[in-house]
Amino acid sequence: RVLPLALALLAAAFTVAATPTGFIAVAPFLVSLRPLVRLVRQHIAVSGRAAVLGPILGAGLLVLVVCFADQTLAGVLEASRIRTEIGPNLSWFQEPMRYEELFSNLPDGALARRFPVLLLLLCLGTTGVVLLRRGRIPGAGLGPSRRLIGTAGISLVLLALTPTKWTHHFGAFASIGAALAALTALATSSSVLRSARNRWWFLSGLLVILAMSSTGPNAPWYVSQYGVPWYDKPPSIHGIQASTLLIVGAALAGLIAVIEGLRHEPGEPPPAAPEPQRRNGRRRALLIGSAPLAVFCGLLVLAEVGAMAKAIVKQRHGYSMGAANFAEITGHSCNLTDAVLVEADRRTGALRPLRATLLADIPLQRGFETNRSPLDQALPTSPPSESNGTADNQGTGSRGDRIPKQGTDGDNPVEKPPTGLGGAEIPIWSSFSPDSPGTGILRSTWYALPAAASQGSAPVVVSVAGRLSPTTPLVAEFARRTERGFNVVDHLQINGRATADGPGWRDYRLGLAGRAAAGADAVRLVATDADVTDDGWLAFSAPRVPVLSSLTDLVAPTPPVFLDWPVGFVHPCVRPFAIRNGIAEIPQYRLLPDKMLANDSKSWSSADAGGPIGWLQILATQQEVPTYLKENWDTDWGKLMVIQPRVPDAEPPVLQTGTAVRMGWWSPGPLRSGGQTAEISQLGR
């Protein structure tokens, strides 16, 4: 009888040590404390304290052998202190933040995360009410029922003790929730809830939580959402929100419950049936009671699996998480690394200019300057006149600096054009003028389109700075060459998703697959600047079709790479930079996640958090390399940065290594974090 207790303690101890969410493993012991104490006392009375408590303590403390197998007490305490200072380290009273995230429109509040939590709460409330009202749940033992309900309730309280408040922590309730759902099926069967009214009320509540869940997007986390339907919005059917249909169903079920309550007066329970009929009726009642839970949960699982299957089909020429997993099972896959393409040099994608003879095909340029960067043309802000305290509106530079100051225009300030843009191969044009409105019109020459663009294996890319608006439009015209000149077959306005926000330089990528432009063999740009406001200027480059190579060939498996969180999950073939004897290997590349996760990624690796960015900024510079997700050219998968050491030929340090035996509480001194000064700890003296 003590062996199950020892095994349970062993599992709980390792669970608590593995993750903060493991605190919920303590819940079964708390709700079973009274019978467990009675059990231990009975065995102590027979076998003695040592024979009973020894194995129990050994099972519970065995985890310490694993924890301190390769680290000391001082190391564990120091690591805990650093994690507490860097954070996130939220208190128990901030637990409502987790539920706020659960009802957000982000992946943390996705349908697949929201429904299980709400279902757990519904089952917990239903079984609790039935148990309190009837004293027990027929078909289930009284003790196990109480302990299961208590375990679920206490686990929700223990979850508040975790220092982070992510919604994926609710996944720890999978086993508890499954058992509680089975108990709820018993509690709502017709043999327990004899009133049809109550069963209809339960169905109405189930539809309500489905409706609440359906108000969130069907958004798997990170790159798993590529190709998934409704990843950015709540599910809908022919324009009708699924939540609306479900709430109507809940209202109808509630109306039926009210009608049932009015039709049948409460009375005595029906007489007991013979034993065989009672047994068959109990099976039938259980089947009916579990039907709503089983049907809706099963449909939701099928819908989620179907959504991932649709993503595999939709992204069959690109990337999907499901296809990458199948590729790993059936062979070898580098996951997302295989689907990312790299443009090593922008100039290799330069297009060949075509000669034109007709007036409509000849380039036109008025108000735009060639190969003049707006940053080079910008003048310092004119100081106010000392005589009247106002700016001189007549002299040169009267419009001041029309480029926002560094740090005032978001994450993408106006800087010099990226490497490879400007010059004869890929010229740039700019309507920026420091002392005039800078209006104008430009019609570029025709450029030959390579087969890669027409076949959809590479996009047409235009780099833009400034503001695109109805008064500063930029249009790409696609045409076929004929004996009479160029026959325009399609117009694509440059707008929509870009690689960065304005007003700095960013790329707009035009995929031609499935468009009329796929049949073209020439392209040109037509721009107009009719905006006379200070920020109404436009700069852009000639179109290019990048020459692409696989990211796998570049970064896997030899070069050391700095993998930001959570990039390492989807780049299994990439080798992280090594740290040996306290010396870090300088990485050659850095992989960052998409914009949504970039801020979280930078926080843990920042200099203030003691991360590698601190020493990397001192030793090297970083330059972004254009990258593309296969067949999804404008999707933000992340970034690839080339790390260039400031001293390329620096000699490696000469190390003197040795071995010393120390006590487990010895420490050479605390690590610095969060800008705090180092102090000698008591353990290190």
Side-chain angles (χ1 to χ4, degrees), residues 2 45 113 129 138 169 172 193 214 264 283 312 332 347 365 391-392 395 401 427 439 533 601 664:
V2 179
R113 296 195 186 192
V129 168
H169 292 167
L193 290 183
S214 299
H264 301 285
R283 292 196 189 98
I312 294 175
H332 176 72
R347 287 168 293 194
Q365 183 172 343
D392 182 4
D401 188 355
T439 59
T533 61
S601 175

Side-chain angles (χ1 to χ4, degrees), residues 69-236:
D70 58 351
Q71 55 187 348
T72 64
L73 174 62
V76 172
L77 295 177
E78 183 66 8
S80 300
R81 183 187 68 84
I82 291 294
R83 292 190 182 99
T84 302
E85 289 185 3
I86 295 175
N89 182 35
L90 303 177
S91 299
W92 62 269
F93 56 83
Q94 295 174 292
E95 180 67 10
M97 293 178 59
R98 194 192 311 271
Y99 295 89
E100 291 178 9
E101 292 293 326
L102 188 65
F103 285 92
S104 67
N105 289 324
L106 301 174
D108 278 328
L111 166 64
R113 296 195 186 192
R114 196 180 296 182
F115 175 72
V117 178
L118 295 179
L119 181 62
L120 174 69
L121 297 177
L122 176 66
C123 293
L124 184 61
T126 301
T127 52
V129 168
V130 173
L131 185 64
L132 291 174
R133 184 175 180 181
R134 299 180 63 91
R136 61 175 300 158
I137 298 177
L142 179 60
S145 300
R146 287 176 174 176
R147 288 191 286 272
L148 178 58
I149 296 172
T151 297
I154 292 178
S155 296
L156 290 172
V157 177
L158 292 175
L159 191 64
L161 301 179
T162 57
T164 55
K165 308 299 179 183
W166 303 113
T167 59
H168 64 259
H169 292 167
F170 284 118
F173 288 87
S175 57
I176 298 175
L180 194 61
L183 185 63
T184 305
L186 278 174
T188 56
S189 62
S190 58
S191 62
V192 180
L193 290 183
R194 301 183 182 182
S195 171
R197 175 197 61 186
N198 293 336
R199 294 195 297 273
W200 279 106
W201 276 125
F202 176 76
L203 178 60
S204 178
L206 186 59
L207 289 171
V208 166
I209 68 169
L210 270 170
M212 295 175 64
S213 303
S214 299
T215 58
N218 183 38
W221 187 66
Y222 194 26
V223 297
S224 302
Q225 63 184 234
Y226 293 165
V228 175
W230 305 302
Y231 74 94
D232 57 345
K233 60 183 178 181
S236 60

Side-chain angles (χ1 to χ4, degrees), residues 284-306:
R284 181 173 176 272
L286 179 59
L287 182 63
I288 295 175
S290 61
L293 281 174
V295 168
F296 286 116
C297 292
L299 289 176
L300 185 60
V301 170
L302 289 177
E304 290 297 323
V305 174

Side-chain angles (χ1 to χ4, degrees), residues 601-621:
S601 175
K602 294 175 183 177
S603 63
W604 76 265
S605 59
S606 66
D608 291 339
I613 294 297
W615 52 263
L616 195 59
Q617 290 176 337
I618 299 174
L619 299 178
T621 60

Side-chain angles (χ1 to χ4, degrees), residues 336-651:
L336 184 62
T337 319
D338 291 336
V340 176
L341 303 176
V342 180
E343 182 184 13
D345 187 354
R346 292 181 176 88
R347 287 168 293 194
T348 60
L351 304 182
R352 178 172 57 88
L354 300 174
R355 296 185 60 183
T357 56
L358 297 181
L359 180 62
D361 297 330
I362 295 176
L364 173 65
Q365 183 172 343
R366 184 170 63 245
F368 282 82
E369 296 193 35
T370 305
N371 291 329
R372 292 288 302 274
S373 168
L375 191 65
D376 296 335
Q377 294 175 269
L379 296 178
T381 304
S382 301
S385 174
E386 296 182 359
S387 59
N388 54 13
T390 60
D392 182 4
N393 294 326
Q394 303 297 326
T396 302
S398 60
R399 299 181 66 84
D401 188 355
R402 298 171 62 196
I403 296 181
K405 298 292 189 299
Q406 185 84 6
T408 63
D409 53 0
D411 296 331
N412 188 24
V414 179
E415 296 178 345
K416 292 185 178 181
T419 304
L421 300 185
E425 295 175 315
I426 307 179
I428 62 172
W429 299 280
S430 172
S431 66
F432 178 86
S433 177
D435 55 356
S436 67
T439 59
I441 186 172
L442 183 137
R443 185 175 64 212
S444 74
T445 187
W446 286 102
Y447 293 92
L449 270 179
S454 302
Q455 296 170 359
S457 58
V460 176
V461 182
V462 179
S463 298
V464 177
R467 185 176 68 173
L468 290 172
S469 67
T471 55
T472 54
L474 178 61
V475 178
E477 294 185 347
F478 295 86
R480 290 197 61 84
R481 283 173 276 182
T482 65
E483 296 179 354
R484 298 183 178 181
F486 294 86
N487 180 28
V488 177
V489 297
D490 201 1
H491 300 78
L492 295 180
Q493 187 160 350
I494 309 296
N495 55 19
R497 188 184 299 176
T499 55
D501 297 328
W505 287 96
R506 67 265 188 200
D507 285 347
Y508 289 88
R509 299 164 176 180
L510 309 177
L512 306 187
R515 302 176 183 266
D521 57 9
V523 60
R524 73 176 178 184
L525 299 178
V526 178
T528 303
D529 184 354
D531 196 326
V532 297
T533 61
D534 285 353
D535 56 352
W537 56 271
L538 181 64
F540 59 95
S541 71
R544 70 183 192 273
V545 176
V547 177
L548 304 175
S549 58
S550 174
L551 179 63
T552 305
D553 298 334
L554 183 66
V555 302
T558 305
V561 180
F562 174 18
L563 294 169
D564 278 45
W565 184 91
V567 174
F569 296 147
V570 288
H571 294 278
C573 301
V574 176
R575 180 176 74 85
F577 68 90
I579 300 179
R580 298 183 181 89
N581 297 319
I583 305 298
E585 180 183 20
I586 297 181
Q588 297 182 21
Y589 302 96
R590 180 185 179 189
L591 291 176
L592 285 84
D594 57 25
K595 184 178 180 180
M596 181 180 295
L597 296 174
N599 290 333
D600 293 332
S601 175
K602 294 175 183 177
S603 63
W604 76 265
S605 59
S606 66
D608 291 339
I613 294 297
W615 52 263
L616 195 59
Q617 290 176 337
I618 299 174
L619 299 178
T621 60
Q622 302 180 49
Q623 183 176 359
E624 182 180 356
V625 179
T627 54
Y628 305 78
L629 188 64
K630 188 185 301 182
E631 300 293 332
N632 299 95
W633 309 116
D634 57 354
T635 297
D636 178 19
W637 72 271
K639 292 181 180 180
L640 170 66
M641 311 293 288
V642 174
I643 297 176
Q644 301 169 334
R646 299 184 188 274
V647 184
D649 55 350
E651 296 183 0

Side-chain angles (χ1 to χ4, degrees), residues 298-319:
L299 289 176
L300 185 60
V301 170
L302 289 177
E304 290 297 323
V305 174
M308 297 303 292
K310 182 179 180 181
I312 294 175
V313 175
K314 182 180 179 181
Q315 300 287 110
R316 58 187 177 276
H317 300 302
Y319 172 82

